[in-house]
Amino acid sequence: MFAGLTAIRFGYEARYEMAVRLVLAACVLDGLDGRVARLLNRSTAVGAELDSLADFLNFGVAPVLILYSWAFQDFRSAGWIAVLFYAICCVLRLARFNVSDRVKTCARPSAFFVGVPSPAGAVLVMLPMVVSFAVSDMPLTPPVVVAFHICLVGLLMISRIPTYSFKNISMNRANAKFFLLGVAVLAAALLTYLWATLTLLTLAYVVCLVWAYRTTRRSKPTEG
């Protein structure tokens, strides 16, 4: 939550790169908190509720407020409608996930989520900013396009589109060295060429969305 609130502050101070970095840090922390709690055997209902509240702030509010400050200087009214639309879609996505998480059975976890998860939605919605950072001499994206992009990502979050859940991926021990090598190369690329690498990763995730939809078109994924 500190990362999300500080990202909003930096966004309104026009320190956009630092604001986006903080949202990305919130994504990393969101991926770690549940795992750490389970490893320490300290998972609680209060922690689960705090996680959802933090997700709404970090991924449903902070990214679009930063975008609003960045893109909608001369497009404030329509831009604000897009911001509200995305935020409402995000809170609906989180509410649906919480309800499905409470009523799920002991069946094996699905390999898919339903709809784009909120951290991925935050990264997707900031794509116009990330591309502008990667290509510094690129003209700014028209506000109408940014507003449409924000609404589209919001719809993806509340949609029934299956998206890969990377939580349940298992790996053969023989391939662990290749995985570690890939992680090292990816980390080096992010440290050296953050915005270009993040752009490519985001586009790769979009390809994964299309691929997941094609491979599961005849089956219905469970809620997640």
Side-chain angles (χ1 to χ4, degrees):
M1 292 178 69
F2 293 156
L5 288 169
T6 308
I8 294 171
R9 172 196 166 185
F10 284 151
Y12 278 88
E13 291 177 354
R15 299 167 64 181
Y16 299 117
E17 292 192 13
M18 181 58 69
V20 174
R21 284 190 174 97
L22 285 170
V23 175
L24 296 176
C27 291
V28 174
L29 293 173
D30 180 68
L32 294 176
D33 60 357
R35 289 173 174 82
V36 172
R38 286 188 290 272
L39 285 173
L40 298 176
N41 196 25
R42 289 295 183 269
S43 299
T44 65
V46 173
E49 295 301 323
L50 284 174
D51 181 67
S52 292
L53 292 172
D55 284 355
F56 178 58
L57 171 65
N58 294 330
F59 312 131
V61 176
V64 281
L65 286 183
I66 297 166
L67 276 169
Y68 181 76
S69 176
W70 176 74
F72 298 128
Q73 298 297 326
D74 302 317
F75 202 66
R76 291 193 176 275
S77 296
W80 188 246
I81 292 173
V83 168
L84 294 176
F85 182 85
Y86 174 89
I88 292 170
C89 288
C90 183
V91 78
L92 290 174
R93 171 68 175 82
L94 291 168
R96 185 177 69 184
F97 173 80
N98 289 346
V99 170
S100 65
D101 192 53
R102 292 189 182 109
V103 301
K104 68 182 180 181
T105 63
C106 296
R108 184 178 183 273
S110 172
F112 298 93
F113 289 134
V114 175
V116 172
S118 55
V123 176
L124 285 173
V125 83
M126 294 189 300
L127 182 60
M129 293 184 70
V130 173
V131 172
S132 73
F133 299 156
V135 186
S136 56
D137 57 348
M138 175 182 174
L140 290 178
T141 308
V144 176
V145 176
V146 177
F148 176 79
H149 174 75
I150 291 173
C151 294
L152 177 61
V153 176
L155 289 173
L156 287 174
M157 286 196 293
I158 62 173
S159 71
R160 307 292 299 179
I161 294 176
T163 58
Y164 285 113
S165 171
F166 300 103
K167 295 180 180 180
N168 304 317
I169 292 179
S170 59
M171 182 172 299
N172 191 301
R173 182 174 296 181
N175 297 325
K177 56 182 178 293
F178 300 110
F179 174 77
L180 293 175
L181 177 62
V183 169
V185 171
L186 179 60
L190 287 170
L191 290 173
T192 309
Y193 304 105
L194 173 60
W195 306 121
T197 305
L198 188 59
T199 299
L200 292 176
L201 289 175
T202 306
L203 295 176
Y205 183 77
V206 173
V207 173
C208 287
L209 293 181
V210 177
W211 184 260
Y213 176 75
R214 291 187 60 185
T215 56
T216 62
R217 188 166 46 185
R218 296 180 181 176
S219 62
K220 182 180 179 181
T222 60
E223 288 282 357

